Amino acid sequence: MEQNESVIIVNDITKSFKVYLDKGSQLKERLLFRKRSRYEERKVLKGVSFTVKKGEAVGLIGRNGCGKSTTLKLLTRIMYPDSGSITMNGRVSSLIELGAGFHPDMSGRENIYTNAAIFGLTKKEIDARLDDIVEFSELHDFIDNPVRTYSSGMYMRLAFSVAINVDADILLIDEILAVGDANFQAKCFAKLKEIKAQGTTIVIVSHSLGQIEQICDRSIWIYDGLIRADGAPKEVDLEYLDFMSREMQNGKTAAKAEDPPPEPEKAEAPPSETENADVKKRWGNGMARITKITSYSADGKEQTVFRTGESIRFRLDYTVKEKVSDAVLGIGIFDMNGIQCYGTNTRIDRLAEFELTEDGSAEIVLEEVMLLPGEYQLDFAIETGDGIPVDYCRQAYRMEMISNTGDVGLSRIKHKWSV
């Protein structure tokens, strides 16, 4: 097969689903409440066409419900289009739903043979790949345990390890890289780049534009069941983000116009450990508590995705239970592998001493943030001047960076060449 030959041809596909408003689950309910069987026809795909060449990596992006995952399931033949046609040339391996095809009572080893056989491998071929699959999954100590005893991360490791070791011509992935620890995610990325270099065609659905830009040659933006843009990830992703930012602002404006006047606010007690759902771990003496974190672009738009080189403004809302003298506010930025990219606080910046006496907010503006594409986790903290934690919030916020540049690493360094 020649490198420029199309291995995936999607021609004008449509797909609709029946969405039942309130369907009875028992025969008695269906007889007594016949109106519960009412449904509406929802057209998810309205005529989608595209081709993917051999060795090309394509990312499908778009908001929830736009038809990305439906398109991927049609490519795997889990379901079929209402009209149009799909041509797939070559062996297909897919990671659509975590653990799909695994039997919970069978061991990891037995599921490897079953799952790989579904992908078309013979027992002899599976025997030859077994050690590689187990080694990549890092499940040596658990491979003979029933998979029902596995965590979701272990499921993902095994499923991914099988899928990338079947010598597929086409690999289809749906958000699977969002599961698992940071080190294994990095390992999966490296493996995807390796198999892509070997000529495997990849189609990936992801909400992480950083992932798309690192792996894919093309982005296809699906909006309301149609392809709105198809091109280089850096261009399509920026167009998509601009659209989503405008839509979010328009939605907020409309909501403000339609909402009734707010009721007078009631005094509330400081939030407990679990009230801030975004915070993974927190500790401190509780004299003050961070209650909300918000990020904004330079022009004041609330967003969590930024371009390399942009300025980012963070706002911290907090409540005060007991006066904090000589308070210190801090921020730390980490990549998804836990490597710290940057950190600072008001003590380092020699800000004049201040105290927290009542509920309020604070802001920090990071100017020209040169982080490269990827997802980042942020820590925020309130301390006393002598370093006693008041409220240290670990992995309290997540943001994503995209870029117009092709640099690699964590941060872009301004430079000049002289040749």
Side-chain angles (χ1 to χ4, degrees):
M1 186 180 294
E2 295 182 3
Q3 190 67 27
N4 61 357
E5 183 177 344
S6 295
V7 295
I8 302 176
I9 303 171
V10 177
N11 182 33
D12 197 27
I13 58 170
T14 64
K15 184 64 180 178
S16 299
F17 296 95
K18 291 179 180 179
V19 180
Y20 286 86
L21 304 179
D22 188 10
K23 188 176 181 180
S25 59
Q26 299 178 354
L27 179 60
K28 180 181 177 181
E29 291 178 331
R30 295 189 184 186
L31 290 174
L32 293 177
F33 308 103
R34 288 188 289 273
K35 289 185 179 180
R36 286 188 177 182
S37 294
R38 288 180 302 152
Y39 64 85
E40 63 181 31
E41 195 89 9
R42 219 167 265 179
K43 200 162 189 177
V44 178
L45 297 176
K46 304 174 182 177
V48 169
S49 299
F50 62 89
T51 61
V52 182
K53 292 183 172 59
K54 176 177 169 56
E56 194 173 24
V58 175
L60 302 181
I61 65 172
R63 66 183 353 169
N64 289 331
C66 71
K68 310 183 299 295
S69 295
T70 299
T71 301
L72 211 63
K73 288 177 181 178
L74 292 172
L75 295 180
T76 61
R77 296 187 176 89
I78 291 175
M79 58 179 70
Y80 293 87
D82 297 333
S83 64
S85 63
I86 297 175
T87 303
M88 307 285 286
N89 297 317
R91 176 185 282 172
V92 179
S93 177
S94 61
L95 282 164
I96 304 298
E97 293 183 10
L98 190 62
F102 284 177
H103 193 292
D105 293 325
M106 293 168 60
S107 69
R109 188 185 305 275
E110 291 167 332
N111 272 291
I112 289 174
Y113 278 90
T114 303
N115 214 238
I118 292 172
F119 288 134
L121 268 66
T122 65
K123 184 179 182 302
K124 185 177 180 180
E125 289 175 320
I126 302 171
D127 288 338
R129 292 167 173 76
L130 182 62
D131 289 342
D132 291 336
I133 294 172
V134 175
E135 182 180 353
F136 190 90
S137 70
E138 301 173 2
L139 295 174
H140 310 83
D141 296 335
F142 310 96
I143 201 63
D144 291 310
N145 294 354
V147 296
R148 58 181 160 76
T149 64
Y150 286 11
S151 67
S152 61
M154 293 165 72
Y155 256 83
M156 188 277 292
R157 286 169 181 262
L158 192 61
F160 190 90
S161 300
V162 174
I164 61 172
N165 279 286
V166 297
D167 292 342
D169 301 302
I170 302 168
L171 179 60
L172 308 175
I173 305 174
D174 186 4
E175 292 289 2
I176 195 72
L177 296 180
V179 185
D181 59 69
N183 289 335
F184 193 74
Q185 286 186 32
K187 185 176 177 180
C188 291
F189 270 113
K191 188 64 177 181
L192 282 179
K193 290 177 180 178
E194 179 185 325
I195 63 176
K196 178 178 179 289
Q198 294 169 356
T200 302
T201 303
I202 299 172
V203 180
I204 182 170
V205 167
S206 178
H207 286 289
S208 172
L209 302 185
Q211 288 182 355
I212 296 292
E213 291 193 8
Q214 290 178 61
I215 297 173
C216 298
D217 306 302
R218 283 166 59 200
S219 279
I220 297 177
W221 171 18
I222 299 178
Y223 177 78
D224 195 24
L226 295 167
I227 291 179
R228 184 162 180 140
D230 182 349
K234 290 181 175 63
E235 298 172 3
V236 175
D237 292 355
L238 291 174
E239 186 180 345
Y240 169 64
L241 285 173
D242 286 340
F243 175 84
M244 294 300 289
S245 295
R246 290 196 304 270
E247 194 170 68
M248 183 177 72
Q249 292 301 317
N250 291 339
K252 284 189 175 182
T253 303
K256 287 178 182 177
E258 294 173 5
D259 288 346
E263 296 180 0
E265 292 186 2
K266 297 178 181 179
E268 296 181 355
S272 67
E273 291 275 341
T274 58
E275 280 182 325
N276 189 335
D278 289 331
V279 179
K280 308 300 182 202
K281 301 175 184 176
R282 69 191 311 169
W283 59 89
N285 59 25
M287 294 170 64
R289 304 284 282 177
I290 297 171
T291 56
K292 186 179 180 182
I293 302 165
T294 318
S295 56
Y296 303 88
S297 61
D299 56 4
K301 293 180 181 177
E302 183 180 332
Q303 61 188 61
T304 57
V305 182
F306 302 92
R307 300 169 185 145
T308 300
E310 278 189 330
S311 295
I312 306 173
R313 177 166 60 94
F314 292 99
R315 172 182 166 136
L316 278 68
D317 294 324
Y318 55 82
T319 59
V320 177
K321 184 177 180 180
E322 184 180 340
K323 183 176 77 170
V324 181
S325 301
D326 188 17
V328 176
L329 303 179
I331 181 176
I333 304 176
F334 301 79
D335 72 0
M336 300 307 288
N337 293 319
I339 297 173
Q340 185 160 17
C341 305
Y342 183 70
T344 191
N345 60 44
T346 53
R347 184 195 302 109
I348 292 172
D349 291 333
R350 302 184 184 281
L351 204 65
E353 283 189 18
F354 62 94
E355 55 186 31
L356 304 181
T357 57
E358 59 183 18
D359 299 355
S361 63
E363 292 189 351
I364 179 172
V365 178
L366 304 180
E367 298 181 350
E368 297 183 7
V369 178
M370 302 306 289
L371 294 173
L372 289 179
E375 289 185 281
Y376 296 87
Q377 296 185 125
L378 289 85
D379 294 359
F380 288 92
I382 302 175
E383 296 179 347
T384 63
D386 52 3
I388 298 174
V390 175
D391 189 22
Y392 194 108
C393 299
R394 175 79 173 135
Q395 299 175 3
Y397 203 73
R398 182 175 290 196
M399 69 176 185
E400 185 171 350
M401 302 296 297
I402 62 173
S403 177
N404 285 323
T405 70
D407 307 63
V408 295
L410 288 177
S411 177
R412 186 166 201 270
I413 300 174
K414 291 184 178 181
H415 58 275
K416 292 181 180 179
W417 288 97
S418 179
V419 181

